[in-house]
Amino acid sequence: MAHSFEPRPVSDNARFDFIVVILALLTAFAPLSIDMYLPAFSAIASDYVTDTHHVELSLTSFFFGLFIGQLLYGTATDKFGRKNPLYIGLAIYVVTSVACAYAPDIQWLIVLRFFQAIGACAGIVIARAVVRDLYTPQASARVFSFLILVMGVAPILAPLFGAYITEWMGWRALFLIVAALGVASAVTIHFVLPETRGRRYDVRMRHTGTTYWAVFRDPSFLRYSLTGAIAQSGLFAYITGSPKMFIEIFGLDPTHYSWLFGVNAIGIIGFSQLNGWLLKYHSSRKILNVSLPILAIVSTIMCVMAYIHASFWGILLPLFAYISTLGLVFPNAMAGALAEQQERAGSASAVTGSLQFLIAGLVSAGVSQAGSFTDYAMAWVIGVAGLLAVIAYRVMRRPE
């Protein structure tokens, strides 16, 4: 028998705030798993007697794991509710994080990072679906801005934390720490996070492919989702290529690199909170229509800087502007993608997340390969990503 379930409204302000914080922490598992070990690339390469190029492949495999994993959770969370699939994802994350800590060689680390991502992405899919369960599109854009605020703390603190932990305890301790965080999160979710969507007997797992295809074919969904994914791929190009560019090429030590990473994170945090304020007075669509041209200008400058082989500041300043502008672009693109997907919010969240990380994985691999030909591969890819995002948004606009 078909079963319909209405989301539980969150009326108590303190509880509302705490639930949003929990959702933000769930989405932070993936960036924590990425950012915390970036300063340890050289230590990992030294330990495994390899080069940083092979260590970068462990990041690429993580991105592809996020792509595949989100498709696994989408229909499952629409059918079985939000919390049970989340518990399974966290269990996978904890087990594989411990396994990463004891990986015997770089090949094993690359493979295990793929499965660690399978677990990590449960939080991404389900947190977005819960937001869609509880809030209107306009309100959800404000919540996504807050999610970015908490996620933005990870790039500030995680590389610094990772650098010091690597120096004092070794890089393997990083994976044991995130495993412990996974256990603590599962316990907190059990006692605090409400189930916002009960089991649906009318949702069939065998129809997963059909559901995903229906979501993907929705013109409005595809326009906003593709725009956000392409724009954010510049962030992943930065994550993949910045250790080589700033540590190996510009000569920063890992600690100073971590501070630089944190400064860029402050930019995206600030603009995401500006976005939350702007949403009180303007629609998310209007903000996107203004912020995307800014992204196009910054992307053009980045391409010019790559062409002339600019110095440290010539790269850093447009990079900061690009990362900051994502704080305006991404939450509004995400809200637009999910706005008309109430009955299949979990599936839509999975499709948009998978699209995002498929592009991220391709971009990460591209930066790694292009690094063999130019020291400015990261800057080139970021510049092109921003321009393509603007083009996608304009070309896919439906006639008024």
Side-chain angles (χ1 to χ4, degrees), residues 201-268:
Y201 293 94
D202 57 329
V203 176
R204 299 285 186 267
M205 293 299 293
R206 65 176 179 271
H207 296 157
T208 297
T210 303
T211 302
Y212 286 161
W213 181 241
V215 170
F216 188 76
R217 290 179 61 195
D218 184 294
S220 177
F221 170 86
L222 187 59
R223 181 195 185 197
Y224 286 103
S225 185
L226 194 61
T227 297
I230 296 174
Q232 199 175 31
S233 71
L235 174 64
F236 295 116
Y238 160 61
I239 291 171
T240 301
S242 60
K244 179 178 180 180
M245 171 160 280
F246 291 110
I247 295 177
E248 296 185 13
I249 297 173
F250 291 134
L252 295 184
D253 61 59
T255 300
H256 286 109
Y257 164 77
S258 300
W259 283 107
L260 178 148
F261 209 84
V263 168
N264 285 319
I266 290 173
I268 195 172

Side-chain angles (χ1 to χ4, degrees), residues 25 32 50 70 82 87 145 185 207 225 228 319:
L25 291 175
L32 273 177
T50 185
Q70 293 187 72
R82 307 306 190 201
Y87 290 139
S145 293
S185 295
H207 296 157
S225 185
L319 174 63

